[in-house]
Each structure stands twice: as structure tokens, then as C-alpha cells.
Amino acid sequence: MKKYLITLCLLFSHLAFATPDFSGEDGYNLWLNYRPLNARQQQHYLSQLGTVYIADKSATTSVIKDELKRATKGLLGQKLSAVSSAQSAKLVLALNNNQLTTPLGIEQKSLGDEGYAIKQHKGQIWLVANSDVGLLYATFDLIRQIQTLADLSKINKVSVPKVKLRMLNHWDDLDRHTERGYAGQSIFDWHKLPDYQEQRYYDYARANASIGVNGIVPNNVNANALILTPAYLQKVKALADIFRPYGIKVYLSVKFSSPHLIGGLENSDPVKPEVQQWWHDKAAEIYQLIPDFGGFLVKANSEGQPGPGDFGRTHAQGANMLARALKPFGGNVLWRAFVYAHDAKAERSLQAYNEFVPLDGKFDDNVSVQVKNGPIDFQPREPFSPLFGAMPHSSLAMEFQITQEYLGFSTHLAYLGTLYKEALDADTHTQGAGSTVAKVVDGSLSDSPLTAMAGVANIGMDRNWTGHIFGQANWYVFGRLAWDHDLSAADIADEWINMTLTHDKNAIDQIKDMMMNSREDVVNYMTPLGLHHLMDTGHHYGPGPWVDNLGRADWNPTYYHRADKQGLGIDRTASGTNAISQYAPYWQQKLANPATTPTELLLWFHHLSWDYTMPSGKSLWYELVHHYNMGVAGVEKMQQQWQRVKNQIDPNQFHQVEMALGIQLKEAKWWRDACLAYFQTFSQRPIPEGFPKPVHDVDYYKSLQFPYAPGQG
Ligand code: BDP
């Protein structure tokens, strides 16, 4: 009997060991994961916050109360007791303009519509704002302070967003397919709306409000005109009603040819009075349903989408026509600058600048031109787009991609905080040193008061929302930087880890190190040293540097890397495409010469010989091989680091990331081997000693097919 028992125990212990535990937190709660603090910490915060007074009553205050309840019950083991006077409360939430005069002497103006203050005052903690949405932001900040174990005893902060419109752009189709989405179907169930209102919508709104996102576009920029039909507008209204108390406005992607497609007009030429009238009437219809509707996002004359160019009109004429329809109701137009015209002779990286800079100053004041961070298309690394700084009389919005179309879908760990910061901190030198992209975007370097930052969402129906647990960090960091671009990527990573995964100091250090290096690892094993656009066709999954047979020259990777017997890289100096002429003189000078070009962008701007001597003293070929291998080594290191934190992470979350890292390593090697095998056919040089040779020949890598890779356009 005893023997049996021992065998049974051994069997079960073995099973427990071998089977991952998927019963714990699976990521659904995101960073609003209110796990209980330890008893000492709970005691500490309860003594500071035990009783609460909330002065105002509104739909948003209900959200505040619910969230405070949920957070304190989870984190502190009990909810705060509500009291009926500010004097008797430890925690006071008050509108600055309320009859209840706050004792803090905060100037109302300094907080604006959405800013807030959190101040310790004579043993009380005050949350003060001019609006209830400001108070909601303050509440989420206070919760974050607790989740990150901050000291509240001397808290004294004022926080005001640096950018006005902080938006998520979903590239979600009405049939729930998500273009470039890798986390399952769209969360927006258009078929069941308006009547069926998923819990997810509320949790999505909470998550967005917690990071300050105040606008969402639920439908794809490759828009379906149906979204503006009465039946769909009812569905949009249902979403807007849900999101309103969270301070979130709904915008829509619209198809420029809607007047023709759903309005029955002969065409959609923006100078025609009947077309203008159609948009005016449509705007009035929308605002009747949704009084705080945000406005329109437009992809026009780009990748086959219709636009004003179809009638010989400019982007400004098209954008202003829509802006004038929205203006009486306070709406805005986000007009995308992601254009490369079908007939353009200019090299692709030049085209957005060529089309838009001549229009500087011609856009109405409720239009923002939405520019991707780099001149091509969300590559793992690009220089900043030369449009930033080149249109000082226009509002320029930043568009980042949060979904990892070009950085490993949802199976690669790539923390994008470092990418976003690199872009925002880049110095355009357009108005002297210090003219950073961030200052263009936050309006300090332009005469337009409209400021905006958009992120292409990575959200879907997967239980953990983003496919990869660490994809959540990219949603999080986008929101935090849109609020305040001066925050550092490392500090935001620190917050996110504390809130989402663990409070263990050593584990935080390991995980932060993984995150901070992860994007560079991806750059190294995919597109090092300024290479770009090497991905395979259509789905963009995996390497395809050999592709040279697509309908347009600038869809082919060969157009961008220009590998030949002599060397590698595209010459964008005066002897080549002269794209450097679009940058300020400071950069023109630097970029004209490989020796003064930042190494990480070398092959973006120069075609260099395989034997070119790199700053390290080694040849270009050697450094290329070295970088591809550094990328792979980086993933191996992440795997080791992750194993080290195993005991500090919820098993379910741990296993998800563990499995994804396994895929990432396989795919990093695949990228390295496929690219090096291919480039070697030009360089005709051996793989330097000490580095592994590609496992297969190029033909093998070329033969791989992925007809069902997710997210195709
Ligand atoms: C590209 C995507 C494509 C999008 C396009 C865009 O591959 O699916 O429609 O960007 O930004 O990166 O409009």
C-alpha cells in the first residue's frame, strides 16, 4: 500500500511538474492586475487612504468609485470607506471649480481640461482636477502609485498631458478581421452591436483611461463606406455611449468616396457643392447621435484608396472639405501622410514630403496631418520622417505602430518604448539644436494648437488582449508617452512590470533588462545596420530579401537593400536618390558621409562595399554577420533571464512568454540564416570564423510558404 502511495505521489508530482499551470492570471487583467500586496504594505496604504470623499456625481464619478473599489479591494484587501465630508476623509477627490474650495492653491488654468494634481496636505491626500475625467486620470495615477509601491507621504505632483488627442487606431474590418492584427479577431462585434455590449468594451475603456488614451478609431483606415450608413452609426453610437464616461471619444475612418458609394452621388469630388453638402449632412447626422464625436481619420490616395487626387485636387482640399463639415460641431480630421502615389518616379522615402510640404499652412485648424514615425513604413528601425519639422505652419500628428507587423507579430518580445523614444527624441535641427520630433508633435515648434499622437492597436479577442503578454507593455507605453513624452522607456517598463507581473526587485531588474534590449535584438536579427523592408510578401511574416517580382518596384525588398557584387545598401545621398536633401542642413552634412552617419542607419543612406571599414575596424560583411548573430544571442539571453524569474511570475503568464520566446528564437535564427545565405550570394565571402553557417541554402528559405499567416491586408 505504502509503495503504491509513493508511486502515486511520484506520478502526480511528475505530472504537476510536466504540465503547465494554466489556471492563474492569464493576462486578461492587463496592468490593472490588482493582486494583493503583502500585509505590511496593505496596512501602510490603508492608514494613508482609509476613508474617501468624492465631491462630484456623474457617470465618470461612478467609474471612479468602481475602480477605486476594485483596486483597493484587490490590492489592500478592503475597499475604502466613503465619508460625507472632505474634512473627515483621508483621501479627497475634488473638482477645482467645485464649491468645495481646495486648500491647495492650485491654479485652475494650469491643469487644463484633463490635467490633475495629487497632493499630500495636512495628513490628507487630495486629487484635484478641473473635470471629472481629470479626476479619473488622477485616480488611475493614485492606483498606479500603490501598484508600484510608491511613497505617498510626500506626494506632490501635477500632471498635464503634453498632447491633446491621444488615440488608438484599430485597423479592424467590419467582419472582425484585423489587418496586421495578431491577437485574434477584432474586439468590436459589429454584428451584435448596438444591443449586445460586451464586458470587454468596458475593460478596454478602463485600460485606455488608465493610460490617458482619449480617442479611438474602431475601424480600419482601409475603410468600408458602410460605417457611415444609419445602421452602423447606431452601432458606433453604442460604443461612444460606453466609452464616454471614461473620457474616450470615438472617431471613424472614412472612405473618401463615400458620397458616391453610399450617397448615390455621381462622384466624390471635394469641390462640388453637392459633395460638400453630403458631408455636412452626414456630420450633422452623426452629431445628432454622438454629440462628442471626435472626427474622421482618412487614408486617401494611398495604396489604392480613393482621395481628392482622383479629381486633380490636393490633400489640403480634401482634408479641408471634411474639416469644414465637422467644424460646427467641434470635430477634427486626422489626414494621413502615408502616401506613395502610383505614378511617382521619386524613390519611395521621398514621396510623402514631396506631396505634403508644399501644402504647409494650407490645412484648416481642425486638421492634423498624421505622419508615420519613419519615411517608409514602421520598420524595426527607420530614421525620423523628414516631414517632422518641415511643416511648421501645420499640425503634425505622430503615428506609431503598436501592432508588430514588422517586428515578429505577436510571438516576438519587442518592447517598443525604446523605438518610440528614439523617434520622439530625434533632433530634427529644423529650428536649431533641440528641435526634437516630440516638440513638433506637442506643438511647441508649430503655430498650430491641435496636437495628436496615434498608435495602431495590437488588440484582439485573445484572452490576454495582445497575443503576447509583453505586447501589453507596448499598448501601455504608447499611452504613457502620448501623455508625457518626457517619461523614460525604462521607467515606464518598470511601472508596467510592477503593475502586471511582479514586485520582486531582482525579477524586475531581469525583466526590465530583457525589455530594454529586446527591440535592438529584433533589429539585429531582422534588419541590422539600416537595412529595411526585407520581409516576405503580403503577410509580411518572415524574411524575403530575394523578392523582386512584385507589381511595383518599391514593394520589392531588392529595391531597398540593393545588394550586388560590390556591396549593400541604398544610396540616398546626392549621388543616389538624394533623400538626405529633405532633412535640415545639419543632417544633410552628416548623412552625406558614411563616416558621420549613425552606424545603425548606415545602409539606409549608403551603398557600401562589402569590405567597407566599419567603426569597429572590421569589414561591413563581418559586422553584418556579427549583428545578425548578436540578435540571436539576445533572444537566447532573454530565454535565460526569463527562466531566472520563473518563481516570481504567475505560472500561466510565465508559460505563455516561455513558449513565445521559444518561437522567437527559432524565427530569429531563421531570419539570420535566410538573410545571410542570400547576401552571401552577392558578397561571395565566407561566414567569418566563430559564427555558425546558415543551416540551409537560399532556395530552401525561398520555398517556404505561409498562405494562412494572420493579419493580411
Ligand atoms: C502598411 C500595412 C498595410 C496598411 C498600411 C497603412 O502593410 O496593411 O494598410 O501600412 O498604413 O504597413 O495604411
Side-chain angles (χ1 to χ4, degrees), residues 171 179-180 220-222 299 302-303 336 338 372 377-378 399 401 405-406 540 713:
W171 285 358
E179 186 159 338
R180 312 312 175 187
N220 195 348
V221 286
N222 295 319
K299 172 174 178 178
S302 165
E303 297 186 327
R336 298 179 81 225
F338 177 67
K372 289 188 182 183
D377 192 5
F378 296 141
E399 180 176 305
Q401 197 176 41
E405 177 180 358
Y406 301 104
H540 297 171

Side-chain angles (χ1 to χ4, degrees), residues 479-516:
R480 298 286 288 133
L481 287 175
W483 182 279
D484 183 359
H485 55 68
D486 282 334
L487 295 172
S488 82
D491 287 350
I492 298 173
D494 204 294
E495 280 174 7
W496 178 81
I497 300 165
N498 260 288
M499 296 166 81
T500 313
L501 297 175
T502 178
H503 290 304
D504 181 85
K505 176 89 188 59
N506 289 331
I508 292 170
D509 288 346
Q510 292 287 339
I511 299 169
K512 197 158 58 173
D513 190 68
M514 291 169 67
M515 290 170 75
M516 291 302 288

Side-chain angles (χ1 to χ4, degrees), residues 525 534-537 539 541-547 628-629 632 665-681 687 692-707:
Y525 63 70
L534 300 186
M535 69 285 172
D536 205 357
T537 306
H539 47 61
Y541 172 64
W546 44 80
V547 175
Y628 270 108
N629 279 283
V632 172
L665 181 59
K666 258 203 275 185
E667 295 186 352
K669 289 180 179 168
W670 168 33
W671 268 93
R672 174 195 64 190
D673 290 357
C675 291
L676 288 178
Y678 170 73
F679 289 134
Q680 203 177 11
T681 62
I687 298 289
K693 294 195 177 52
V695 178
H696 301 282
D697 63 11
V698 195
D699 288 339
Y700 167 81
Y701 297 111
K702 280 188 189 175
S703 72
L704 302 176
Q705 302 280 321
F706 306 96

